[in-house]
Amino acid sequence: MQSGNVTTPFGQRRVSLALVKGQLDRGGPPPAHSVDKWKVFRDVAEARQRLGLQDRAIAVLDALLTFYPGNELKPDGSLVVFPSNAQLSLRAHGIAGTTLRRHLAALVEAGLIDRRDSPNGKRYARRTHAGDIENAFGFDLRPLVQRAAELANLAQDVVREAQAFRRAKEALTICRRDIRKLITAAMEEGADGDWSRIEEVYITILARLPRAPGKEIVESVLDELQLLRGEIVNRLELLLKTQNTEINDVQNGRHIQISNPESITELEPRFRKDESPATRPRPADPTVLQKAFPLAMVLKACPQIIDYGPGGAVANWRDLMSAAVVVRSMLGISPSAYEDACDAMGPENSAIMLACILERSAHIQSAGGYLRDLTSKTRRGEFSLGPVLMALLRSQGEKPGAHSLDASAG
């Protein structure tokens, strides 16, 4: 005995103590019931990774089973098969001799077959005069019968894990697709929120997935993505509720409430009670758009808009209109509301109106509903930008008379 191994006199094959113990444990009485050899084989094939076997070892076991007559492994008969290596190699699809011996040893180590060595180390069977096998030397298949129930349970466990892993991967794919669609839709619609940061979080989570992830990693990433998807859905639901409230307020004809009472008279000119119908402004012709005010005057009244221009500057009307598009998205104003304003006021005056709303955004509860209300008043001839700009100039400490209201002065 050397290094925990036993050296047998038959072929000088070294056998570990653990292997000897396993063979002794299986040396009890034969099993009571026969089993279908191919059903056991399928269970072994299903659980091969749990048993530490490679695909070639399964092919060798398949070849071994073909040497046992019939499909039932009967415990009352001989369960030893004794093919030569040449015969085994042929039925195992031409596997090389060294590879064959290695995988036979793996099957023995896994406790699926036992060796029954003859005195001269060869595999053969002694038969009676009637032709029945009296004694056989080769590979004993009895462990497959003894462990049939255990192998079946192991295979079922492997199948359940594989199904759970497959469902987790499918759920991960669906979750990834949902988040990508939600972020893209939110960005394209200009929904309020830091969607670039949310997209970065999404990419960071996905970066943890290796090319061939295991079940634990997939489930961990799936949990994080499901939390992220829930947060995104909650944000979008809140935004949709806010937009529905705005639409209902406009349809009911209610004015958007402003917390500063003085700003009502500054941003929403109204008719005085002592005005006569003759002195009231006539409804504007929708086909005749108001002229834009001087750009310098607009920037004095609404300096915050400058930060949203190209490169942080507004040098001309094109820059102002570009900045207005950015502000529209930031304030949560829908594209349709801004298009209606452009139709009623003209693109330049609509950009000015957004600059004014930006200045007063802290006092306006719903920028989108407020712009729609002013658009309706403009179509009825009940609103003009002049008083709004004058009020903002006064709040900036400027004298209104210092700027000409002639559009040509811009």
Side-chain angles (χ1 to χ4, degrees):
M1 182 181 298
Q2 299 176 355
S3 304
N5 293 328
V6 175
T7 302
T8 67
F10 312 123
Q12 300 299 312
R13 182 177 295 111
R14 295 168 64 87
V15 182
S16 67
L17 290 178
L19 182 59
V20 173
K21 181 179 182 302
Q23 291 178 348
L24 292 175
D25 291 341
R26 294 188 294 272
H33 303 286
S34 61
V35 298
D36 186 336
K37 67 179 182 181
W38 296 121
K39 181 182 183 303
V40 178
F41 172 76
R42 287 192 294 270
D43 292 338
V44 172
E46 197 72 57
R48 61 187 179 278
Q49 292 184 344
R50 292 278 193 92
L51 297 169
L53 299 175
Q54 298 179 2
D55 292 344
R56 301 301 294 273
I58 301 302
V60 172
L61 179 62
D62 178 42
L64 276 174
L65 290 174
T66 62
F67 287 97
Y68 184 85
N71 291 333
E72 296 289 327
L73 295 175
K74 299 178 180 180
D76 55 350
S78 175
L79 294 174
V80 177
V81 292
F82 39 89
S84 66
N85 283 352
Q87 292 173 318
L88 263 180
S89 176
L90 184 63
R91 294 199 186 183
H93 311 291
I95 189 172
T98 54
T99 306
L100 175 67
R101 288 190 290 272
R102 185 172 71 253
H103 289 303
L104 282 171
L107 291 171
V108 174
E109 289 287 342
L112 299 178
I113 60 175
D114 284 335
R115 294 183 187 272
R116 293 287 180 261
D117 290 327
S118 67
N120 61 5
K122 295 185 180 298
R123 302 174 200 139
Y124 63 90
R126 289 197 184 98
R127 298 181 181 273
T128 64
H129 292 292
D132 297 330
I133 295 178
E134 179 182 21
N135 202 358
F137 303 96
F139 297 104
D140 193 348
L141 303 178
R142 184 167 60 172
L144 291 176
V145 182
Q146 293 173 324
R147 300 181 61 188
E150 174 194 347
L151 293 171
N153 291 333
L154 190 61
Q156 291 174 6
D157 189 33
V158 170
V159 170
R160 283 193 296 268
E161 282 195 3
Q163 290 175 344
F165 186 29
R166 183 169 61 254
R167 285 194 294 266
K169 289 193 293 185
E170 291 173 353
L172 178 61
T173 300
I174 294 173
C175 192
R176 289 174 60 176
R177 188 183 305 152
D178 290 346
I179 293 175
R180 182 72 272 172
K181 288 180 178 179
L182 290 172
I183 293 177
T184 301
M187 287 182 169
E188 290 180 351
E189 293 293 331
D192 187 23
D194 191 357
W195 296 105
S196 297
R197 184 188 63 81
I198 294 176
E199 186 177 34
E200 290 177 2
V201 173
Y202 168 69
I203 294 173
T204 302
I205 295 174
L206 287 183
R208 293 176 45 208
L209 280 173
R211 178 168 295 183
K215 180 173 178 288
E216 293 76 13
I217 296 179
V218 169
E219 290 178 344
S220 175
V221 172
L222 176 60
D223 288 342
E224 294 188 43
L225 288 181
Q226 286 176 336
L227 290 175
L228 180 62
R229 179 175 61 181
E231 181 181 350
I232 293 173
V233 170
N234 288 337
R235 291 192 181 194
L236 292 178
E237 285 179 349
L238 288 175
L239 289 174
L240 289 174
K241 289 179 181 178
T242 303
Q243 290 179 1
N244 289 336
T245 302
E246 294 173 6
I247 294 173
N248 291 335
D249 287 346
V250 173
Q251 290 176 345
N252 293 335
R254 293 197 296 266
H255 295 297
I256 304 302
Q257 298 297 320
I258 303 176
S259 60
N260 186 352
E262 296 180 357
S263 63
I264 295 178
T265 58
E266 293 174 353
L267 292 182
E268 296 189 35
R270 301 188 178 190
F271 302 134
R272 296 192 302 270
K273 292 182 179 179
D274 58 351
E275 286 181 334
S276 63
T279 59
R280 294 180 182 177
R282 297 179 180 177
D285 185 350
T287 61
V288 180
L289 302 178
Q290 305 175 44
K291 292 184 177 180
F293 294 89
L295 181 61
M297 175 184 176
V298 174
L299 298 181
K300 283 287 184 180
C302 310
Q304 293 186 41
I305 194 71
I306 298 175
D307 296 334
Y308 300 92
V314 175
N316 49 52
W317 285 105
R318 183 180 297 275
D319 291 348
L320 181 66
M321 288 186 284
S322 297
V325 173
V326 177
V327 170
R328 176 201 67 75
S329 176
M330 185 190 71
L331 293 177
I333 298 174
S334 65
S336 61
Y338 186 56
E339 290 175 5
D340 290 344
C342 289
D343 290 340
M345 304 180 188
E348 294 87 354
N349 284 342
S350 296
I352 295 174
M353 193 63 247
L354 281 185
C356 295
I357 293 176
L358 177 64
E359 289 294 323
R360 304 294 299 173
S361 59
H363 305 287
I364 299 176
Q365 294 180 357
S366 173
Y370 186 69
L371 180 62
R372 287 187 181 277
D373 192 35
L374 295 182
T375 300
S376 299
K377 290 184 177 182
T378 300
R379 294 188 188 280
R380 297 194 302 267
E382 299 174 359
F383 176 74
S384 174
L385 273 172
V388 176
L389 289 174
M390 296 303 103
L392 289 173
L393 281 171
R394 284 194 296 271
S395 67
Q396 299 292 345
E398 291 288 332
K399 294 181 179 180
H403 300 277
S404 172
L405 296 184
D406 185 0
S408 63

